[in-house]
């Protein structure tokens, strides 16, 4: 399946952070072309961006994976995906992944001047993620602590 | 123990970041090497307000924060003490932000994600 090239910087940033910052082993889990909606695995980080490109990044994973990622960041164990520090870790992960991706895009495309919105984090079972007016692409990344979906929607892409 | 000075005291750090998790990650990277995080601030204004009473050996400064961003806070702290070492610690590495950071007197730039050695080496470089 052909992947929208605008997702590439976000996937590269996610892989870099999962490997370099969290020390996970990773492998490709495939590519998905999403329709209007997809079902969350239980923990979603949303970061919007605006400027030369308008859209948003969603990093989606099971709650168990989110807890293990938070533990890798802080060194502490967590009991539930809704723990405040797990949510804060998800936000920081989204901020770092989004920041690295946007930096890559801005430095490769002078003048785009893309900036990020503050991240939002959602934890809960059965959440449907719905996109109005934009289609999105997803790349799945397998890690030692579970599968992560990187979903990117860019207006006009 | 790279965080210990020649006189046996710890190198002191003020960590400025709106993310408590990020501040925790900074402490996790530094404290095993003997550095002492003596103050934390969640935005640039808090950092400026705390600065005079803390006077750390080095400041790690995020850029994008509410109330006052890290670049403005760095300018205000440099106006108080032009010799205060400040390290920018941010995932945003756009060339225009880097140029502005240098213009405002930021001594060193360390990108997120960082490994413990990245931030430790940055601190040792500016002292």
């Amino acid at each position: 399946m052909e992947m929208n090239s605008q997702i590439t910087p976000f996937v590269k940033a996610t892989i870099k952070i999962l490997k370099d910052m969290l020390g996970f082993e990773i492998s490709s889990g495939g590519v998905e072309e999403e329709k209007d909606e997809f079902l969350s695995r239980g923990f979603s980080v949303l970061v919007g961006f605006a400027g030369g490109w308008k859209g948003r990044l969603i990093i989606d994973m099971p709650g168990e994976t989110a807890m293990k990622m938070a533990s890798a960041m802080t060194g502490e164990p967590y009991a539930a995906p809704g723990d405040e520090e797990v949510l804060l870790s998800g936000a920081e992960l989204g901020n770092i992944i989004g920041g690295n991706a946007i930096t890559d895009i801005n430095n490769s495309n002078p003048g785009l001047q893309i900036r990020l919105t503050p991240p939002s984090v959602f934890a809960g079972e059965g959440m449907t993620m719905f996109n109005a007016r934009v289609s999105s692409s997803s790349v799945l990344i397998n890690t030692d602590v579970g599968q992560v979906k990187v979903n990117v929607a860019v207006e006009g892409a | 123990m790279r965080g210990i000075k020649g006189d046996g005291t710890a190198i002191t750090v003020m960590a400025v970041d709106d993310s408590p998790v990020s501040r925790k990650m900074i402490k996790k990277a530094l404290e095993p090497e003997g550095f002492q995080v003596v103050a934390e601030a969640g935005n640039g204004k808090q950092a400026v307000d705390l600065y005079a009473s803390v006077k750390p050996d080095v400041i790690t400064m995020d850029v994008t924060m509410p109330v006052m961003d890290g670049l403005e806070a760095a300018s205000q702290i440099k106006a108080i003490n032009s010799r205060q070492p400040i390290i920018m610690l941010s995932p945003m590495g756009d060339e225009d932000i880097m140029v502005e950071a240098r213009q405002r007197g930021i001594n060193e730039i360390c990108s997120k994600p960082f490994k413990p050695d990245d931030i430790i080496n940055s601190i040792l470089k500016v002292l």
Side-chain angles (χ1 to χ4, degrees):
Chain A
M1 182 179 292
E2 189 176 340
M3 184 176 67
N4 185 334
S5 63
Q6 285 165 311
I7 195 174
T8 304
F10 296 93
V11 174
K12 282 168 61 180
T14 306
I15 290 171
K16 177 182 168 188
I17 277 79
L18 293 177
K19 285 175 72 174
D20 292 354
M21 186 173 93
L22 301 180
F24 294 142
E25 293 292 324
I26 61 156
S27 63
S28 170
V31 176
E32 289 181 351
E33 197 65 36
E34 306 285 0
K35 301 299 180 190
D36 290 343
E37 63 185 47
F38 68 86
L39 189 64
S40 168
R41 286 145 200 244
F43 190 94
S44 279
V45 183
L46 186 152
V47 186
F49 46 88
W53 292 3
K54 294 184 181 68
R56 57 105 192 100
L57 159 72
I58 292 176
I59 303 158
D60 189 78
M61 65 193 85
E64 189 71 26
T65 301
M67 288 192 289
K68 288 176 179 168
M69 287 200 183
S71 292
M73 292 168 77
T74 66
E76 294 178 14
Y78 297 103
D83 279 3
E84 184 181 14
E85 211 154 77
V86 179
L87 299 172
L88 287 166
S89 296
E92 182 64 5
L93 197 65
N95 190 44
I96 294 175
I97 290 171
N100 275 259
I102 293 305
T103 294
D104 185 12
I105 296 165
N106 283 340
N107 286 342
S108 304
N109 302 274
L112 280 183
Q113 295 276 327
I114 302 169
R115 291 291 180 260
L116 297 176
T117 64
S120 299
V121 184
F122 306 88
E125 296 302 320
M127 292 185 295
T128 298
M129 315 305 285
F130 180 78
N131 291 306
R133 301 200 307 274
V134 290
S135 59
S136 66
S137 301
S138 293
V139 168
L140 303 173
I141 300 170
N142 298 322
T143 78
D144 334 37
V145 296
Q147 194 174 62
V148 176
K149 174 186 277 196
V150 181
N151 174 265
V152 175
V154 180
E155 197 175 83
Chain B
M1 297 288 274
R2 290 174 287 173
I4 303 296
K5 291 184 270 194
D7 64 2
T9 61
I11 295 172
T12 59
V13 178
M14 178 160 77
V16 186
D17 200 304
D18 61 331
S19 165
V21 166
S22 186
R23 299 197 302 268
K24 190 170 269 193
M25 289 168 69
I26 293 167
K27 290 168 79 170
K28 187 176 158 215
L30 296 180
E31 289 182 344
E33 282 287 338
F35 295 88
Q36 194 178 357
V37 178
V38 291
E40 299 180 39
N43 63 58
K45 184 173 186 310
Q46 280 181 4
V48 174
D49 291 345
L50 265 175
Y51 176 67
S53 62
V54 177
K55 291 198 172 64
D57 292 317
V58 64
I59 297 171
T60 64
M61 184 75 79
D62 187 17
V63 174
T64 307
M65 293 182 285
V67 185
M68 181 189 291
D69 70 34
L71 297 176
E72 178 59 27
S75 291
Q76 292 196 18
I77 289 170
K78 287 285 186 176
I80 299 167
N81 176 9
S82 63
R83 296 166 66 87
Q84 173 62 51
I86 302 177
I87 297 168
M88 183 177 114
L89 197 57
S90 172
M92 293 298 292
D94 294 21
E95 282 159 15
D96 56 341
I97 293 175
M98 310 275 258
V99 168
E100 186 177 353
R102 296 288 188 196
Q103 286 170 344
R104 289 181 183 247
I106 300 258
N107 302 82
E108 185 68 13
I109 294 166
C110 183
S111 66
K112 290 181 185 175
F114 59 82
K115 293 177 182 167
D117 273 351
D118 298 334
I119 189 167
I120 289 169
N121 290 335
S122 293
I123 289 173
L124 297 178
K125 189 174 171 184
V126 299
L127 291 177

